[in-house]
Amino acid sequence: MYFVKTPAGQQAFKERHADLSPRLRSAFLLFDGNRSLAQVLEAISALGVGKDDILPLVTRGWLATREAGGEELQQPCAAPEDGSEVDPASTSRRYQQAYPMAVAITGGLGLKGFRLNLAVEAAVGYEQLAALAPRIRDAAGERAYGPLHKALFGAEAL
């Protein structure tokens, strides 16, 4: 089953509605009509969000179903900081895995990382998230950034 954000859902997100907790916000952003519910749940499994958490968003009218026959959008492929190539087929998977991590890291920075957190939440695809990686590393430090780097670029060393 594929879901898309409704205008009411986008408004609730924009207003930071109380029923849209930070972990649900991360999940909500991934519903673009191109990812199935199973794919989104897999991407955010580390956040502890399950199907039972998503269904109330549908009930409220913040998410609506989409027919599964649509074309998938291809995200442009960005090269990681070390100059190595990233397989275009893996960019979607990498983005889905790295996005919740980036939101958690920048959200944990408090006011210091507020604007960076907004930029991460606005990142629509792999390329945009990869472009924010150096800023996240500078703000959060090497230790906090390491797992995100691995998820984005598949590299152990920074």
Side-chain angles (χ1 to χ4, degrees):
M1 185 175 304
Y2 292 78
F3 290 107
V4 294
K5 297 174 217 64
T6 65
Q10 290 173 345
Q11 187 65 30
F13 182 84
K14 187 176 183 181
E15 293 174 355
R16 295 188 177 265
H17 193 281
D19 290 341
L20 208 52
S21 68
R23 61 189 184 101
L24 281 177
R25 289 174 61 80
S26 296
F28 184 79
L29 285 171
L30 295 176
F31 288 106
D32 59 0
N34 292 322
R35 295 179 187 97
S36 69
L37 176 60
Q39 289 172 323
V40 171
L41 290 174
E42 180 181 328
I44 58 169
S45 63
L47 296 176
V49 176
K51 187 174 182 179
D52 294 336
D53 298 312
I54 301 299
L55 294 179
L57 301 179
V58 177
T59 304
R60 284 182 160 273
W62 293 349
L63 291 174
T65 58
R66 179 193 70 83
E67 295 302 319
E71 280 186 29
E72 287 198 32
L73 297 175
Q74 292 293 325
Q75 292 292 336
C77 179
E81 303 155 353
D82 63 1
S84 63
E85 291 293 321
V86 175
D87 178 18
S90 72
T91 58
S92 178
R93 179 186 49 78
R94 289 174 189 249
Y95 171 75
Q96 290 175 0
Q97 183 180 13
Y99 178 82
M101 297 168 104
V103 169
I105 291 169
T106 58
L109 295 173
L111 289 176
K112 171 183 160 187
F114 178 72
R115 288 188 182 198
L116 182 56
N117 185 260
L118 291 176
V120 168
E121 288 182 352
V124 179
Y126 175 83
E127 184 175 85
Q128 292 177 0
L129 192 58
L132 290 170
R135 288 179 54 197
I136 296 170
R137 180 179 51 212
D138 292 343
E142 298 291 334
R143 185 175 178 191
Y145 172 75
L148 176 63
H149 182 84
K150 184 178 179 183
L152 273 174
F153 306 117
E156 291 292 332
L158 299 177

